[in-house]
Amino acid sequence: MGKSRLNFGNLEEIYNPKLYRHFDRPLSQQKISELLDCLSSEKFYINYRHYPFINYNIKFRKYLGHGQFKTKSRPISLPSHRDALMFKAYSVLLNNNYEEFLNQSEFSDVPIAYRRGKSNISGAKEIFDFIWDNPDCWILKADFKSFFDTLDHKILKKIYVPF
């Protein structure tokens, strides 16, 4: 290939292939290694064609309180096994660049989602500690319905190209 392999960390060792049925078969350890090697080639991206997602809805009961339930439906999309590994590899690369960007910025302590060593629990503890130290603060809670579904992906791509 001539080009060195991109840094996917220990993805090759920790990736756990799923066993659901799709247009392709679950990946063997050898196929995982081969595909990660291919992902370092720009030619691979130019010529690669993704398989379609397999889509279906799951139904579940949501408890409303006072013995009341509501049936809800949630769409599920399954990528092919090759595509799932590729998406995971992309996320590793983006996360590495995102962490590097945050570590060089003045607000590296602010975001907690999708961060190594951070979680909603550690984030909540930081918030409660701040509230105890600053009793005159305000807390705003918001829930944005379909927020990620309605984002303009052209704007997102423009923001994330530097990563």
Side-chain angles (χ1 to χ4, degrees):
M1 215 174 277
K3 188 177 178 186
S4 64
R5 185 175 183 179
L6 294 171
N7 181 9
F8 299 112
N10 65 341
L11 179 59
E12 192 170 340
E13 290 83 38
I14 66 166
Y15 185 73
N16 185 16
K18 307 297 185 262
L19 301 178
Y20 55 82
R21 289 184 178 179
H22 210 290
F23 298 112
D24 62 346
R25 294 180 185 267
L27 302 173
S28 67
Q29 205 58 43
Q30 180 180 343
K31 287 287 185 190
I32 291 170
S33 181
E34 289 171 5
L35 186 55
L36 290 176
D37 285 340
C38 289
L39 291 178
S40 296
S41 166
E42 190 174 321
K43 282 184 181 181
F44 180 80
Y45 290 109
I46 292 169
N47 297 315
Y48 185 78
R49 297 293 176 254
H50 293 278
Y51 281 123
F53 285 95
I54 292 180
N55 300 302
Y56 64 94
N57 289 321
I58 58 169
K59 293 184 191 274
F60 58 95
R61 291 175 54 184
K62 183 173 181 179
Y63 183 68
L64 301 174
H66 307 292
Q68 303 270 328
F69 291 89
K70 176 181 175 181
T71 300
K72 293 194 78 172
S73 180
R74 181 178 185 177
I76 300 293
S77 297
L78 296 175
S80 70
H81 298 285
R82 285 187 321 169
D83 292 349
L85 176 63
M86 291 175 65
F87 296 148
K88 182 63 179 174
Y90 295 153
S91 75
V92 168
L93 295 175
L94 280 171
N95 197 38
N96 289 343
N97 292 339
Y98 179 61
E99 286 290 336
E100 186 177 321
F101 168 78
L102 286 177
N103 289 335
Q104 295 174 5
S105 74
E106 62 209 41
F107 58 94
S108 66
D109 291 337
V110 177
I112 60 168
Y114 308 105
R115 300 283 309 275
R116 282 186 211 106
K118 300 226 179 207
S119 69
N120 58 343
I121 294 170
S122 64
K125 182 185 179 326
E126 288 178 28
I127 291 168
F128 285 123
D129 290 346
F130 181 86
I131 292 169
W132 282 112
D133 294 340
N134 301 281
D136 292 333
C137 68
W138 286 75
I139 299 172
L140 301 176
K141 180 196 176 284
D143 186 8
F144 300 94
K145 183 175 180 154
S146 300
F147 176 75
F148 290 105
D149 299 340
T150 59
L151 287 175
D152 187 334
H153 286 79
K154 289 178 186 171
I155 294 172
L156 278 178
K157 187 174 180 183
K158 190 176 181 181
I159 292 169
Y160 281 103
V161 164
F163 292 117

